[in-house]
């Protein structure tokens, strides 16, 4: 284990959540991987270097197998109160699976998420965007996440799965709690509530099938036995949560980045042809996902000078990799014209984000139409007072007050 750093870092306090980049820069200087303790008391290896992050995400010996995870997890919990059932009713999904299960589960929905199929949603996404902007028009100030960035992606993903919109507030609360990564009772209660809700929904859709992705999945489960009931519930959960916990922050973080960099905003307003690359730069500069989900080593993993032993938990800091000066010149600078290829905001390897084409399309339409509709869009809060959500996974604001008039 030559070169293995042993320093433990208390990793997630408020100042870190608000600005993880300073600490990441410091960590990268002393090595590409570090042993840290999460707020839940879990000891993990945090990977902060770009090359090392990509290598770990692409290595088939680094596992996401949810069933095998429990034993490794228990070994690394430093706070005994946190030990217990990790696996729950919502966890039998592709992001918790290795091949061949991963391959089987992902294949069931891949076709629905190709760039070509997603492009067909463009008119409907434009329509939803226009409706939301209409509702904002005439107001002096709005909270942009509530008024715009949240309802857009949740409406799109609910329509794609033909999930009723009525329960979306409850859904948002459960989802926020589950994604907090705190591992406490509230998180377990929210998981149970969400699972109960999805079970009822599946029963309802079984009785009333439609021409939608959810009904197709139920059919794949009932007729061809291609996924079991737990996998079905978990798939719906993953798509719904992944479909709205992230894109809201692409829009929110992207708009904030622009409002804090008037030169970049002016350049974009002058030429919307820059928008596709600007979206990639928002993802690189202040992406919606701070760290990838937990993985574990099944054999020693060599990352340059560092060797992570077998049966250790690995956390890849995507936000750090995206600001590694070894890969991106002047990484802390927002530059919507810079080369952005290779950023890891959507992950890397077999778990690379299934929803990337959808997220990009929603982000482009949302930001373009918002800027067009409100030429005087501005921040209505002191940037230092903006507060970020306390989650180990997502990186997004709690609120984004903006002026429109
Ligand atoms: C996986 C980011 C939007 C569905 C991932 C991963 C990342 C990510 C980093 C990999 C996690 C890991 O390896 O641990 C994002 C970002 C988004 C976004 C930044 C918005 C800007 C979406 C949307 C959907 C979606 C709209 C649509 C339903 C998924 C799914 C996976 C995934 C299903 C798991 C893929 C697998 O395990 O093979 N996403 N995501 N994501 N994402 Fe996204």
């Amino acid at each position: 284990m030559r070169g293995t750093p042993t320093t433990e870092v208390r990793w997630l306090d408020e100042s870190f959540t608000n600005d993880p980049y300073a600490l990441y820069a410091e960590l990268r200087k002393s090595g590409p991987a570090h042993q840290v303790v999460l707020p839940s008391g879990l000891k993990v290896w945090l990977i902060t270097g770009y090359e090392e992050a990509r290598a770990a995400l692409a290595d088939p010996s680094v596992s996401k197998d949810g069933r095998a995870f429990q034993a490794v997890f228990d070994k690394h919990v430093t706070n005994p109160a946190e030990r217990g059932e990790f696996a729950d009713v919502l966890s039998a999904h592709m992001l918790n699976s290795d091949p061949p299960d991963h391959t089987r589960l992902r294949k069931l929905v891949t076709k629905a998420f190709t760039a070509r199929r997603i492009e067909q949603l463009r008119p409907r996404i434009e329509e939803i965007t226009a409706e939301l902007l209409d509702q904002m028009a005439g107001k002096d100030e709005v909270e942009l996440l509530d008024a715009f960035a949240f309802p857009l992606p949740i409406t799109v993903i609910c329509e794609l799965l033909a999930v009723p919109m009525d329960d979306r507030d409850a859904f948002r609360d459960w989802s926020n709690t589950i994604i907090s990564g705190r591992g406490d009772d509230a998180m377990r209660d929210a998981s149970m509530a969400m699972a109960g809700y999805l079970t009822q929904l599946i029963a309802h859709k079984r009785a009333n099938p439609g021409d939608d992705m959810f009904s197709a999945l139920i059919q794949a489960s009932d007729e061809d036995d291609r996924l079991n009931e737990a996998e079905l519930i978990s798939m719906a959960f993953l798509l719904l949560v992944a479909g709205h916990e992230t894109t809201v922050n692409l829009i929110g973080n992207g708009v904030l980045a622009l409002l804090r960099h008037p030169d970049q905003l002016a350049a974009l307003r002058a030429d919307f042809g820059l928008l596709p690359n600007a979206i990639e730069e928002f993802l690189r500069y202040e992406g919606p996902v701070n760290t990838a989900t937990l993985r574990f080593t099944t054999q020693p993993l060599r990352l340059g000078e560092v060797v992570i032993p077998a049966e250790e938990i690995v956390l890849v800091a995507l936000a750090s990799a995206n600001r590694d000066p070894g890969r991106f010149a002047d990484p802390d600078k927002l530059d919507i014209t810079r080369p952005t290829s290779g950023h890891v905001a959507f992950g890397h390897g077999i778990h690379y984000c299934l929803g990337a084409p959808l997220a990009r399309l929603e982000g482009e339409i949302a930001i373009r139409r918002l800027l067009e509709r409100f030429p005087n869009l501005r921040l209505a809060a002191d940037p230092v007072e903006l507060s970020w959500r306390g989650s180990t996974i997502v990186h997004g604001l709690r609120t984004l007050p903006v002026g429109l008039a």
Side-chain angles (χ1 to χ4, degrees):
M1 290 210 291
R2 194 171 58 89
T4 303
T6 50
T7 352
E8 287 188 7
V9 186
R10 281 274 156 197
W11 186 47
L12 217 114
D13 59 20
E14 182 87 352
S15 67
F16 176 84
T17 324
N18 288 349
D19 174 17
Y21 305 107
L23 178 58
Y24 281 153
E26 213 177 286
L27 288 174
R28 278 194 310 268
K29 278 188 200 139
S30 61
H34 314 260
Q35 280 197 285
V36 305
V37 180
L38 296 186
S40 60
L42 191 66
K43 248 169 100 174
V44 307
W45 286 80
L46 181 72
I47 302 185
T48 50
Y50 177 82
E51 287 302 336
E52 293 78 8
R54 299 256 296 194
L57 291 171
D59 195 313
S61 76
V62 179
S63 174
K64 289 232 39 127
D65 181 344
R67 276 161 303 192
F69 198 86
Q70 184 75 54
V72 184
F73 182 83
D74 282 349
K75 202 173 111 182
H76 294 287
V77 170
T78 54
N79 171 7
E82 295 296 340
R83 197 163 285 153
E85 271 303 276
F86 165 78
D88 68 33
V89 278
L90 301 174
S91 64
H93 55 65
M94 68 181 99
L95 191 48
N96 278 339
S97 318
D98 292 342
D101 284 337
H102 174 265
T103 323
R104 171 176 57 87
L105 293 170
R106 185 158 170 140
K107 205 172 153 207
L108 286 164
V109 284
T110 309
K111 274 206 194 102
F113 285 95
T114 58
R116 202 172 51 83
R117 280 288 286 279
I118 291 301
E119 183 56 33
Q120 293 168 4
L121 301 177
R122 184 185 285 274
R124 181 62 189 136
I125 299 175
E126 287 278 10
E127 209 169 70
I128 301 166
T129 305
E131 279 165 23
L132 293 168
L133 293 174
D134 286 347
Q135 286 164 23
M136 287 159 53
K139 297 188 178 149
D140 286 345
E141 227 177 273
V142 294
E143 199 286 275
L144 194 69
L145 304 188
D146 247 1
F148 186 59
F150 172 73
L152 173 61
I154 188 72
T155 306
V156 173
I157 195 70
C158 282
E159 287 191 4
L160 212 55
L161 290 162
V163 165
M165 294 291 292
D166 303 352
D167 307 317
R168 78 176 187 198
D169 287 342
F171 192 87
R172 182 188 197 182
D173 287 347
W174 297 327
S175 172
N176 277 342
T177 310
I178 293 170
I179 208 120
S180 70
R182 287 194 304 263
D184 56 9
D185 281 347
M187 189 168 149
R188 274 181 280 271
D189 290 350
S191 301
M192 292 312 292
M194 182 91 104
Y197 170 79
L198 289 172
T199 305
Q200 275 185 8
L201 194 61
I202 288 169
H204 173 76
K205 286 182 96 51
R206 259 204 181 103
N208 309 281
D211 182 23
D212 59 85
M213 196 191 307
F214 208 164
S215 299
L217 286 169
I218 293 172
Q219 197 182 354
S221 151
D222 292 352
E223 291 176 10
D224 312 340
D225 216 13
R226 280 184 288 160
L227 75 172
N228 63 37
E229 193 75 8
E231 289 171 340
L232 179 58
I233 297 176
S234 302
M235 174 85 87
F237 166 74
L238 177 67
L239 293 175
L240 286 166
V241 169
H244 86 279
E245 283 290 349
T246 45
T247 312
V248 51
N249 298 323
L250 168 57
I251 300 169
N253 299 1
V255 169
L256 176 66
L258 284 173
L259 295 179
R260 294 175 79 173
H261 297 85
D263 58 324
Q264 302 291 302
L265 177 57
L268 184 58
R269 282 192 183 283
D271 177 6
F272 278 112
L274 297 174
L275 188 54
N277 197 64
I279 295 286
E280 300 309 309
E281 175 66 347
F282 302 147
L283 287 161
R284 182 203 69 82
Y285 174 80
E286 188 115 60
V289 179
N290 181 359
T291 65
T293 52
L294 297 174
R295 290 160 160 71
F296 65 93
T297 52
T298 58
Q299 60 190 55
L301 175 70
R302 174 176 287 280
L303 298 172
E305 280 296 287
V306 179
V307 178
I308 300 178
E311 297 205 346
E312 295 283 317
I313 297 185
V314 169
L315 191 58
V316 177
L318 305 173
S320 175
N322 281 337
R323 295 227 192 172
D324 186 336
R327 178 65 180 78
F328 297 102
D330 207 355
D332 296 326
K333 186 174 168 205
L334 178 80
D335 175 1
I336 61 171
T337 62
R338 76 158 69 229
T340 49
S341 79
H343 74 68
V344 289
F346 286 122
H348 178 62
I350 62 167
H351 295 284
Y352 180 86
C353 180
L354 177 77
L358 176 58
R360 287 183 166 120
L361 183 62
E362 288 174 346
E364 279 185 39
I365 293 176
I367 292 181
R368 176 170 188 157
R369 299 304 179 210
L370 177 75
L371 295 182
E372 284 175 348
R373 183 73 74 101
F374 300 108
N376 297 323
L377 187 76
R378 63 193 154 74
L379 256 184
D382 184 338
V384 294
E385 278 166 16
L386 290 172
S387 140
W388 296 76
R389 288 171 57 184
S391 159
T392 48
I393 302 172
V394 300
H395 181 62
L397 292 161
R398 287 186 214 275
T399 56
L400 179 56
V402 294
L404 305 175

